[in-house]
Amino acid sequence: MNDERLEGEVRTALQKDDPGPVRDELRRRIAAVPDAMPTRRNLVRSPHVSGWMASLRAVAAVVVVGAIIVAALGLRGSNLGPASSASPSATPTGPAPSGSAATPTPSATPVTAPSATSPITGDWHGLRWSAPSAFPGAQAIDDIVTWNGGYIAAAQVQRDNPNQQPGFWSSSDATTWTRLNIDTTAFPDSQINGLVHTASGLLAWGWAGEPVCSGSGEGGTTCEPRPVMLWTSPDGVSWTQVADISTFKGATIEGVTAGSQGLVAVGDTGWNKTAIWVSATGAAWQRLTLPAAGFKDAHFSSVSATSWGYVAGGAVGGQAPVCCVSLPSTGVAAAWWSTDGQTWTRASVQRTGGVGSDLGAIAVGAQGMVAVGSASGGKSGSTAWTSTDGRTWKPIALAPDIAYFGAPAVSPGVPTLPAYTIEGDGARLIAVGQDAAFQLAIWTSLDGLDWQQLPFSGATAAIPSTIDDYMVPGGLIAVGAAGGSQTGTSWLITALP
Amino acid sequence: MMAIQHLEGAIHVGARTSEGPEAERLAAFEQFTQGRLERAYRLAGLILRDPSEAEDAVHDAAVQAWLHWKELRDQERMDAWFDRILVNGCRARMRGRSIRPLVLADPPEAPGPDSLARLGDRDVLHRALATLDADHRIAVVLRYIAELTPGEIAARTGAREGTVKSRLHYALRQMRAALEAAERTPGGLR
């Protein structure tokens, strides 16, 4: 079947989901919108208010927000104080996991009480954008990490061949990118999903090939996940496929992170077959034997490293999704924590959205963590939780711009999350979204509760309305589209003190 | 601090007025939404595959459009602006769903004027389309139903044009793979 006919068949197949004519009820709901909605909103997000009134506002805000945080959320306490000198390093390299992947013993109390206490030096009060620069030959950027004083980017290569081909680009300043000459035979029809630092270099993780589907008709179609692929590199240029990936047979990896105790990957090998894998360098992996307690019907969505260990997000319970029917998630949001990557304990997650919620990606800051996930099977959009220790998670309110009806309501004085896209580097949290005028906006926070929008300066004329962002020391690297470019465009965004 | 400032904006429930800027805004909003309701509902329905959710998504988009009406600087870009609100809402709704290809059991479709093979093709494609994630599904619907170009889709989704092309390419490849997998199965396409 040629492409033209295939496109025609796709058009026809899509028509089967046509919802039909608009019901009168919807017409009435739309017509009633102006009657039910506010007629004026004046969202003031800028933290920069001049004059004595600003000082009063700032003092009042700090007092009120602080009081509400302590009283209503009950999360802060001594963690508001300066960093503890006894806290472990947040550096994502260090000793390998000790011993074998023995069955961990669940414990109610961690060996070392986790507390997010990475020191922060200086503060950010603005972001200066560099002139845009191109990623020559790159299509979709997969990840960007720091490397050897500069940066390494993984991306899909632009090509006519239908097979996937990842490539790598390097830059010393994040403004001029050079494609690296790699041995492409190590990446047969592969796609990279992420890059992480290891004790001896870099690890790339992703998958290869196409979904292998079999069966049709009344018996149904079964598709196996695409084979997991892992690659290691000592220098970002020479890449080697991890030879023994048998422990990942039939697996789906949802996230990989590098922490002080080595690498941790989370995922599953099928419905209700939750899996955690650990590795010292990325070259050899072991699957942990998870205890039934805390992991029954568990499903991971993400894993992140903290200064004291690891946190994972996901859900428990629910029904196995059926192919080709977009059933909402029926689990309940859940999280887990570990100080060493080997022994995991289920955290306490205060319900929001109830059944159908999922605690997704977790961003780690110096004084708190933020997790963004779904609520009520997505029918209420997304929601978010915050935690200072990874053991207890509580929902936080969402700004009206991003909240759907049914999401946690914004109450007077309660801090709100300004956007869904949250990044964290263990010290600082960054939220990327759009302001009330649909223009790109970036906020910063140390705890996920108090957010400050950062004003832009520099080459701001060509800033796109959305970006992918990667945190780097002293700022961000943004990737987006500028001027209708078909290739990736990047900006170095330098934080201004 | 942001939260406190956030609440400084005056919010009040509006009362309909018969003249003045507010009445003009109301009239413009009603004309705009009623003129695009059928299309918006169809797109949302095709993206979400759930008429009830599509109604909610269109309603939410209308709310956002009303709230941000004054902020629309370029009146000529109204369609793209509203599409973007709608698509973003649909994406947020799909984000919470769990779609993983596992098992399917659909009743056989009654033969029509097309050949059985074509019916089988469409059935396989229909199911394969349902397994696409939010971004790929949105790209496919906007391309093949709304007949938008990759550049126009990029303007509505916030993705780069190259990314849109990549998503469309990937989606078509998935459709082809699904057809080929069905053909390899004993009994072929039903």
Side-chain angles (χ1 to χ4, degrees):
Chain A
M1 184 183 292
N2 60 35
D3 281 353
E4 190 175 345
R5 183 181 161 199
L6 178 61
E7 289 176 355
E9 291 297 320
V10 166
R11 282 188 180 88
T12 305
L14 282 169
Q15 308 283 356
K16 296 179 74 170
D17 293 319
D18 192 313
V22 174
R23 294 192 308 144
D24 289 342
E25 170 62 20
L26 178 58
R27 294 187 188 280
R28 281 193 289 271
R29 288 175 69 190
I30 301 299
V33 164
D35 292 326
M37 290 296 114
T39 58
R40 175 172 169 258
R41 292 202 317 173
N42 181 22
L43 302 180
V44 182
R45 282 210 177 92
S46 171
H48 301 282
V49 183
S50 60
W52 61 272
M53 185 175 289
S55 300
L56 288 178
R57 285 176 180 172
V59 171
V62 167
V63 170
V64 172
V65 171
I68 288 172
I69 292 169
V70 172
L73 300 180
L75 294 172
R76 308 294 290 275
S78 60
N79 281 338
L80 282 170
S84 165
S85 59
S87 63
S89 167
T91 306
T93 57
S98 58
S100 64
T103 302
T105 304
S107 60
T109 305
V111 176
T112 303
S115 60
T117 52
S118 295
I120 293 292
T121 55
D123 202 355
W124 291 8
H125 292 99
L127 295 173
R128 187 178 65 239
W129 288 67
S130 71
S133 55
F135 268 89
Q139 191 156 280
I141 309 297
D142 297 315
D143 205 355
I144 300 175
V145 295
T146 57
W147 181 252
N148 197 25
Y151 311 96
I152 291 276
Q156 284 295 304
V157 175
Q158 285 189 324
R159 65 206 310 249
D160 296 328
N161 187 314
N163 286 343
Q164 304 160 104
Q165 178 62 65
F168 294 89
W169 284 254
S170 71
S171 176
S172 60
D173 56 7
T175 59
T176 302
W177 293 92
T178 303
R179 186 173 170 189
L180 300 174
N181 185 19
I182 63 167
D183 178 9
T184 57
T185 60
F187 299 91
D189 196 14
S190 307
Q191 181 172 347
I192 291 174
N193 205 34
L195 300 172
V196 291
H197 290 102
T198 70
S200 56
L202 291 170
L203 172 85
W205 63 281
W207 50 78
E210 296 291 334
V212 179
C213 301
S214 60
S216 66
E218 296 183 16
T221 301
T222 300
C223 298
E224 298 294 329
R226 287 182 284 179
V228 167
M229 296 286 280
L230 300 166
W231 302 266
T232 58
S233 173
D235 55 11
V237 179
S238 174
W239 289 89
T240 304
Q241 273 188 41
V242 174
D244 183 6
I245 53 173
S246 56
T247 187
F248 293 103
K249 180 175 172 52
T252 299
I253 293 181
E254 300 291 351
V256 179
T257 192
S260 59
Q261 300 298 305
L263 300 165
V264 173
V266 300
D268 61 59
T269 53
W271 186 250
N272 283 347
K273 295 178 181 175
T274 308
I276 298 177
W277 299 267
V278 294
S279 175
T281 64
W285 289 81
Q286 293 168 304
R287 180 175 177 175
L288 299 180
T289 302
L290 298 174
F295 291 91
K296 186 175 185 299
D297 299 335
H299 317 285
F300 290 127
S301 297
S302 68
V303 64
S304 298
T306 72
S307 61
W308 48 264
Y310 306 84
V311 287
V316 294
Q319 297 175 336
V322 176
C323 176
C324 311
V325 179
S326 300
L327 293 175
S329 168
T330 53
V332 175
W336 296 263
W337 59 268
S338 172
T339 56
D340 59 5
Q342 305 267 348
T343 303
W344 288 81
T345 303
R346 185 172 167 185
S348 169
V349 178
Q350 184 176 322
R351 283 194 180 195
T352 181
V355 171
S357 58
D358 176 85
L359 194 144
I362 299 173
V364 180
Q367 297 169 9
M369 288 166 266
V370 172
V372 177
S374 62
S376 297
K379 286 183 179 294
S380 295
S382 298
T383 189
W385 294 261
T386 187
S387 175
T388 55
D389 58 9
R391 290 183 288 177
T392 303
W393 293 83
K394 295 192 175 184
I396 55 177
L398 307 172
D401 286 348
I402 62 171
Y404 277 97
F405 308 123
V410 177
S411 302
V414 174
T416 58
L417 194 69
Y420 286 134
T421 304
I422 311 292
E423 304 286 343
D425 62 0
R428 181 180 305 279
L429 294 164
I430 292 291
V432 177
Q434 294 175 329
D435 61 17
F438 288 87
Q439 302 298 311
L440 182 74
I442 298 177
W443 296 262
T444 185
S445 173
L446 300 181
D447 59 6
L449 298 171
D450 185 13
W451 293 88
Q452 304 293 333
Q453 187 176 352
L454 297 168
F456 295 160
S457 60
T460 58
I463 293 178
S465 56
T466 61
I467 58 168
D468 291 331
D469 64 298
Y470 304 92
M471 295 185 73
V472 296
L476 303 164
I477 293 176
V479 176
S485 169
Q486 295 183 18
T487 59
T489 303
S490 72
W491 293 260
L492 177 63
I493 309 175
T494 306
L496 301 175
Chain B
M1 281 187 281
M2 188 196 76
I4 297 299
Q5 293 168 357
H6 201 111
L7 295 167
E8 290 174 347
I11 299 177
H12 59 88
V13 175
R16 298 220 176 197
T17 54
S18 57
E19 56 185 16
E22 202 59 35
E24 291 176 8
R25 182 166 79 118
L26 181 62
F29 173 80
E30 288 181 343
Q31 181 182 11
F32 177 80
T33 52
Q34 292 303 324
R36 287 155 182 82
L37 190 53
E38 294 282 356
R39 178 181 181 277
Y41 177 61
R42 184 167 185 240
L43 286 182
L46 289 169
I47 291 170
L48 295 167
R49 305 180 66 240
D50 182 326
S52 174
E53 266 208 279
E55 288 189 347
D56 289 345
V58 172
H59 178 258
D60 287 355
V63 169
Q64 293 299 317
W66 175 250
L67 292 174
H68 295 287
W69 195 260
K70 288 181 179 176
E71 295 150 13
L72 180 61
R73 298 167 185 168
D74 186 353
Q75 298 290 318
E76 294 179 355
R77 299 181 64 187
M78 268 186 167
D79 283 325
W81 179 69
F82 187 71
D83 276 358
R84 183 167 184 173
I85 297 172
L86 180 69
V87 166
N88 280 341
C90 289
R91 181 190 289 114
R93 286 173 177 276
M94 292 182 75
R95 185 161 26 184
R97 294 172 165 180
S98 180
I99 306 172
R100 183 174 290 186
L102 280 179
V103 181
L104 165 79
D106 269 351
E109 188 171 305
D114 287 340
S115 71
L116 287 177
R118 292 290 292 275
L119 279 177
D121 278 359
R122 288 170 190 169
D123 199 37
V124 169
L125 284 176
H126 179 244
R127 285 177 288 167
L129 284 165
T131 66
L132 293 175
D133 68 19
D135 287 328
H136 288 86
R137 174 94 184 174
I138 287 167
V140 167
V141 169
L142 293 182
R143 177 73 187 97
Y144 297 115
I145 297 296
E147 304 289 351
L148 300 177
T149 66
E152 291 170 329
I153 297 171
R156 284 158 172 79
T157 58
R160 288 172 288 120
E161 188 175 340
T163 301
V164 171
K165 289 180 177 177
S166 175
R167 287 172 182 166
L168 291 170
H169 177 78
Y170 172 86
L172 281 185
R173 204 168 68 154
Q174 293 296 95
M175 298 307 103
R176 190 183 296 282
L179 286 175
E180 290 172 354
E183 287 168 355
R184 287 196 300 269
T185 304
L189 298 168
R190 65 182 169 87

